[in-house]
C-alpha cells in the first residue's frame, strides 16, 4: 500500500479527465486499486491506470491536490518500483 499526492502547481486549471498511470511494474506485480483498469489505446498497452477524481468533475484547480492510495498484489514479494505518469484523454485510455 502506498499513498500518492498529486498537486497542480500551475496557475491555471488542468482540464480532465485525468488518469494516473503506473508503468514499469515488475513481473508478477499488479495494481489492485479500484477505479481504473488497463490501457487499451495508450501505450504501452496494458498499463494499469486509475481515473483521478476531480472535485468539480472537469478540472484540477490551481493549488488543488488529490491523494490516492495505491494497493499492489505482490505474491512473489518482489521489490516494487514503477514510473508514475499523468495522462489526459477524452476517452478511456
Amino acid at each position: 500500500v502506498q499513498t500518492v499526492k498529486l498537486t497542480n502547481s500551475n496557475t491555471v486549471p488542468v482540464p480532465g479527465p485525468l488518469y494516473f498511470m503506473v508503468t514499469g511494474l515488475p513481473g508478477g506485480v499488479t495494481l489492485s486499486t479500484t477505479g481504473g483498469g488497463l490501457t487499451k489505446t495508450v501505450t504501452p498497452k496494458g498499463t494499469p491506470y486509475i481515473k483521478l477524481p476531480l472535485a468539480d468533475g472537469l478540472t484540477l484547480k490551481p493549488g488543488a491536490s488529490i491523494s490516492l492510495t495505491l494497493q499492489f498484489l505482490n505474491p512473489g514479494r518482489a521489490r516494487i518500483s514503477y514510473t508514475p505518469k499523468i495522462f489526459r484523454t477524452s476517452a478511456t485510455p
Side-chain angles (χ1 to χ4, degrees):
V1 176
Q2 179 185 33
T3 300
V4 176
K5 183 176 181 180
L6 308 165
T7 302
N8 179 2
S9 58
N10 293 315
T11 58
V12 296
V14 177
L18 298 172
Y19 300 88
F20 180 80
M21 296 175 50
V22 179
T23 64
L25 280 173
V29 176
T30 56
L31 180 65
S32 61
T33 304
T34 59
L38 300 175
T39 60
K40 295 177 184 171
T41 57
V42 175
T43 55
K45 290 182 182 177
T47 299
Y49 71 86
I50 300 167
K51 185 174 182 179
L52 298 178
L54 302 174
D56 66 1
L58 301 172
T59 61
L60 183 59
K61 303 285 185 199
S65 296
I66 298 172
S67 290
L68 299 173
T69 300
L70 306 180
Q71 295 179 327
F72 299 92
L73 181 59
N74 186 6
R77 304 199 48 84
R79 183 172 185 206
I80 296 176
S81 62
Y82 63 90
T83 302
K85 293 184 179 184
I86 302 295
F87 192 81
R88 182 174 65 96
T89 181
S90 59
T92 303

